[in-house]
Amino acid sequence: SAVISQKPSRDICQRGTSLTIQCQVDSQVTMMFWYRQQPGQSLTLIATANQGSEATYESGFVIDKFPISRPNLTFSTLTVSNMSPEDSSIYLCSADFRDSLTDTQYFGPGTRLTVL
Amino acid sequence: KQEVTQIPAALSVPEGENLVLNCSFTDSAIYNLQWFRQDPGKGLTSLLLIQSSQREQTSGRLNASLDKSSGRSTLYIAASQPGDSATYLCAVFNDYKLSFGAGTTVTVRA
């Protein structure tokens, strides 16, 4: 298994500001992912972040709103820009671990964001 | 686009009863399927992973089956305990992405 940490664990932010969430993995991985979980909803994939290339965004998510960095094989950041109350969610990062048998995704503990 | 459905949305049982959680998906060309547990306000804990070539996986009181051709998976939890109370999420991996169901929220009454 893997250990994935996120910082901050929670934050309360004002409308119009930005927040950067950090995700650290305890081993090197090629593929990392960012998800959003709105209140009472399941997880929605925001983007896939591969080291050495630009992030790939899912429909409905754009780089200007959710810029992502992936500077090395163990770290990624997600920024939520120009926040509004609709951005209040849990944001989770995950990492894909591939062995000879399969791919397994492990998740960080999430960042609970409240926008006032 | 992969669609994942979980039934029921919520389930309440007395302690000791067996739990049956259902998951269905529309695109059978999956690489694997994972069952996760999520406690309120927390991240996800991976419970079981079934590869597309497998029919089932077991871990302790948990057993998950997979029928890829019909697009179904079932998670069985034997002899439920209050500590099993959580939301259980099913997710299928294909096209290098996980697609999640909405989850089944389980309450086990002492």
Side-chain angles (χ1 to χ4, degrees):
Chain A
S1 64
V3 176
I4 302 175
S5 60
Q6 285 185 235
K7 286 195 291 188
S9 59
R10 59 178 60 225
D11 208 342
I12 300 173
C13 300
Q14 296 297 320
R15 181 195 299 261
T17 62
S18 298
L19 176 71
T20 296
I21 302 168
Q22 299 179 7
C23 180
Q24 180 76 51
V25 187
D26 68 345
S27 55
Q28 295 183 340
V29 293
T30 301
M31 298 175 74
M32 293 181 71
F33 305 85
W34 288 97
Y35 292 83
R36 181 175 74 182
Q37 187 176 29
Q38 294 176 300
Q41 305 293 315
S42 190
L43 279 74
T44 301
L45 180 64
I46 297 172
T48 303
N50 291 339
Q51 196 272 336
S53 62
E54 289 197 6
T56 303
Y57 289 83
E58 296 298 303
S59 176
F61 297 97
V62 295
I63 188 170
D64 289 346
K65 176 66 176 177
F66 297 102
I68 288 171
S69 78
R70 183 77 202 275
N72 58 51
L73 290 173
T74 64
F75 188 78
S76 179
T77 68
L78 170 77
T79 299
V80 186
S81 303
N82 189 24
M83 289 183 284
S84 68
E86 292 70 35
D87 294 319
S88 297
S89 296
I90 298 175
Y91 292 85
L92 298 105
C93 71
S94 73
D96 180 78
F97 288 81
R98 178 171 298 177
D99 59 25
S100 59
L101 296 175
T102 194
D103 290 73
T104 305
Q105 282 202 22
Y106 293 94
F107 282 77
T111 296
R112 180 181 289 273
L113 171 62
T114 302
V115 184
L116 303 177
Chain B
K1 180 186 173 188
Q2 181 74 267
E3 301 285 343
V4 182
T5 303
Q6 290 188 246
I7 295 172
L11 190 58
S12 179
V13 299
E15 182 177 4
E17 194 164 299
N18 296 333
L19 291 164
V20 180
L21 311 179
N22 297 298
C23 172
S24 63
F25 46 94
T26 54
D27 183 354
S28 62
I30 66 170
Y31 189 64
N32 63 45
L33 182 147
Q34 274 184 269
W35 282 93
F36 293 90
R37 168 183 172 141
Q38 185 175 33
D39 293 286
K42 305 291 187 182
L44 275 65
T45 301
S46 181
L47 297 174
L48 289 169
L49 181 147
I50 311 177
Q51 297 179 61
S52 62
S53 59
Q54 297 177 318
R55 298 284 291 181
E56 67 176 348
Q57 278 285 352
T58 298
S59 176
R61 293 184 294 111
L62 276 60
N63 173 276
S65 67
L66 174 64
D67 184 342
K68 198 175 76 162
S69 61
S70 67
R72 296 178 189 275
S73 176
T74 302
L75 177 67
Y76 301 90
I77 303 177
S80 61
Q81 305 169 357
D84 295 327
S85 298
T87 297
Y88 292 83
L89 296 166
C90 163
V92 296
F93 188 75
N94 65 340
D95 196 23
Y96 299 100
K97 302 172 193 175
L98 271 180
S99 299
F100 281 85
T104 295
T105 299
V106 171
T107 302
V108 180
R109 307 185 304 272

